[in-house]
Amino acid sequence: MDLDDSEIMQRISDDLLDSHDEEFELELEDHLFAQVPGMAPARLSPEEALTRKVARQRYFRELFRLQIELVKLQDWVADTGHKVVILFEGRDAAGKGGVIKRITQRLNPRICRVAALPAPNERERTQWYFQRYVSHLPAAGEMVLFDRSWYNRAGVERVMGFCDEQEYQEFFRTVPDFERMLVRSGIQVIKYWFSISDDEQYLRFMGRIQDPLKQWKLSPMDLESRRRWEQYTKAKEIMLERTHIAEAPWWVVEAVDKKKARLNCIQHLLTQIPYAEVKRPTIQLPPREHHEDYVRRPVPKEMFVPETY
């Protein structure tokens, strides 16, 4: 790494700032963030501070515009009965969770939901490999976002030795037909690979180490993935080559810049589905009824949550 300590701390502090909720982040001034012990960013010139502020404002304008389009997409999916599966794959800390959060943030969880499966249990290990994923597939009018998917077998399971050679090769023989079967059944399959550099992953892992709100994200598996970077690279190259099919092609998202990656991915997703704005009926709030015989009962004081703030 060619970055000095101050530059590394600046990157880590930027990552911490970026992790906050959008509405809160938009109002968060750098001088307030600088008061967090041990996380003060490097001092910026007035010109650099202004450039960062303008860039953040531009990012939020675009994000909110795209999220409005996502709401239109959601309405169209529900109205037409369309079925969508979106797979998000990539290295640890590649930004998959960030873009999933921004996609789902304004949407109805009954229509757009996230499937993030844990490691298989003993029973699931004896099932057909795709079986536990099938139960999460969408019905009509639903979108399902897989935060990692059946491609675990081509990545982490291969590199960490959680599957044998026969299971690995059988996966590649099966997955193209499996995805073609989904498409023939009326499910649209969209696959994204988030690509980051070695240096960028290092910085994001350092950010997680420094950030008490993110330390839980660093598992022993994540740390081992750093050591096996080249093995993961080889596994990824084989996976993209053998599973890039016309019915469900791979799309690679350049994700070193997380904000640009989010916007680019959402914009691309919107182009993959032929949605149109659905006319909503005019909503009129009915007047509240009042009944003379109704008397509101008092709530005991001991039932209230203390007003600490």
Side-chain angles (χ1 to χ4, degrees), residues 1-13 40-42 202-203 206:
M1 298 291 293
D2 296 326
L3 300 178
D4 59 30
D5 289 344
S6 64
E7 290 173 318
I8 290 176
M9 288 305 298
Q10 179 65 59
R11 288 297 307 277
I12 292 172
S13 62
Y202 168 80
L203 288 169
M206 289 295 294

Side-chain angles (χ1 to χ4, degrees), residues 143-156:
M143 302 169 59
V144 178
L145 284 58
F146 279 89
D147 186 355
R148 295 196 180 277
S149 66
W150 43 86
Y151 282 99
N152 276 341
R153 175 137 297 176
V156 63

Side-chain angles (χ1 to χ4, degrees), residues 74 76-85 109-113 133-146 182 185-188:
Q74 167 192 258
W76 180 85
V77 166
D79 185 66
T80 61
H82 196 59
K83 294 178 282 188
V84 187
V85 161
R110 294 184 179 88
I111 297 174
C112 180
R113 52 189 168 84
Y133 295 100
V134 169
S135 63
H136 294 273
L137 293 174
E142 294 179 352
M143 302 169 59
V144 178
L145 284 58
F146 279 89
L182 296 182
S185 74
I187 299 176
Q188 183 176 2

Side-chain angles (χ1 to χ4, degrees), residues 172-184 245:
F172 283 127
R173 283 190 293 268
T174 306
V175 71
D177 290 334
F178 174 68
E179 291 177 357
R180 290 188 182 105
M181 180 175 61
L182 296 182
V183 173
R184 286 196 302 272
I245 60 176

Side-chain angles (χ1 to χ4, degrees), residues 13 16-17 20 23-41 43 56:
S13 62
L16 176 59
L17 179 64
H20 293 289
E23 287 87 353
F24 175 61
E25 182 184 6
L26 191 59
E27 301 298 328
L28 189 62
E29 295 291 341
D30 289 339
H31 73 275
L32 293 177
F33 178 70
Q35 296 174 15
V36 179
M39 291 302 297
R43 291 187 177 276
R56 290 180 65 215

